[in-house]
Amino acid sequence: MVKSPGKDADIFVGNLIDERHGGPVTIGYGRYAPGQSLIETMAVYDTMIVLEGRLSVSTGNGTVTARPGDIVYMPKGQTVTITTEDEGALTAYVTYPHWAEAHA
Amino acid sequence: MVKSPGKDADIFVGNLIDERHGGPVTIGYGRYAPGQSLIETMAVYDTMIVLEGRLSVSTGNGTVTARPGDIVYMPKGQTVTITTEDEGALTAYVTYPHWAEAHA
């Protein structure tokens, strides 16, 4: 697991599949500590599935709270604020294109 | 939820996001009844996250059994056999490119 590059929040991500594997998507698990807030303009199309805990995602269209089994789709170009409160969250994510290349 | 096109197995899939939404990925939930077996050569890069139950995925490299929280990556061109036994399974999936277009 590596700390999310360029971010100070207590959020860890680990890729299982990425540009080294020859396919078009990056896949991994993310862990968000409690009490985090991360604002990001999406550089990739990111699909996040909540596996444990709870997190909220806010956009100009409002806020959704996602619980285990919920899917959050964050298209490229969208500005999102991801927050956790008392609980952290464990997520799985799939990005297209590769996240590392988009952030290089 | 719609039945998986062209398949007789008791497997239902429902897209939340697809080619109608302007992005590059199709996202949805799939439900596999107990006792199913589906052989498929992947027309897309498919990432499946098991949310409930259990399923097994076999390739030429062996068989993995996936449980809640496990991620199964099935690259385009790979031939996979997906089976359920006594339990069915609920999954989330993300495909690139769009699944409907690849099967058209």
Side-chain angles (χ1 to χ4, degrees):
Chain A
M1 301 287 270
V2 296
K3 197 153 188 176
S4 182
K7 307 295 179 186
D8 292 327
D10 194 5
I11 296 167
F12 293 82
V13 298
N15 292 343
L16 300 174
I17 296 287
D18 59 24
E19 62 282 359
R20 297 168 297 183
H21 297 87
V25 294
T26 292
I27 305 168
Y29 289 108
R31 185 173 285 284
Y32 296 75
Q36 298 299 310
S37 182
L38 171 72
I39 300 176
E40 185 160 16
T41 297
M42 303 308 298
V44 295
Y45 293 85
D46 191 354
T47 305
M48 187 165 66
I49 297 98
V50 178
L51 300 175
E52 298 175 7
R54 189 163 56 133
L55 54 76
S56 294
V57 180
S58 300
T59 68
N61 298 320
T63 299
V64 294
T65 297
R67 296 177 173 79
D70 288 344
I71 300 174
V72 180
Y73 172 58
M74 296 175 286
K76 184 175 175 176
Q78 188 170 54
T79 298
V80 301
T81 303
I82 300 175
T83 58
T84 53
E85 299 190 352
D86 299 346
E87 299 180 81
L90 175 66
T91 65
Y93 60 83
V94 181
T95 79
Y96 173 85
H98 293 296
W99 185 80
E101 292 172 354
H103 285 80
Chain B
M1 301 287 270
V2 295
K3 196 152 189 177
S4 183
K7 306 294 179 187
D8 292 326
D10 194 6
I11 296 166
F12 292 83
V13 298
N15 292 342
L16 300 174
I17 296 288
D18 59 26
E19 62 283 359
R20 296 168 297 182
H21 297 86
V25 294
T26 292
I27 305 168
Y29 290 107
R31 186 172 284 285
Y32 296 75
Q36 299 299 310
S37 183
L38 171 72
I39 300 177
E40 185 159 16
T41 297
M42 303 308 299
V44 296
Y45 293 85
D46 191 353
T47 306
M48 187 164 68
I49 297 97
V50 178
L51 299 175
E52 298 175 6
R54 190 162 55 132
L55 54 74
S56 294
V57 180
S58 300
T59 69
N61 298 319
T63 300
V64 294
T65 298
R67 296 177 173 79
D70 289 342
I71 301 174
V72 179
Y73 172 58
M74 297 176 286
K76 184 175 175 176
Q78 188 169 54
T79 298
V80 301
T81 303
I82 300 175
T83 57
T84 53
E85 300 190 352
D86 298 347
E87 300 180 82
L90 175 67
T91 65
Y93 60 83
V94 181
T95 79
Y96 173 87
H98 294 295
W99 186 79
E101 293 173 353
H103 286 80

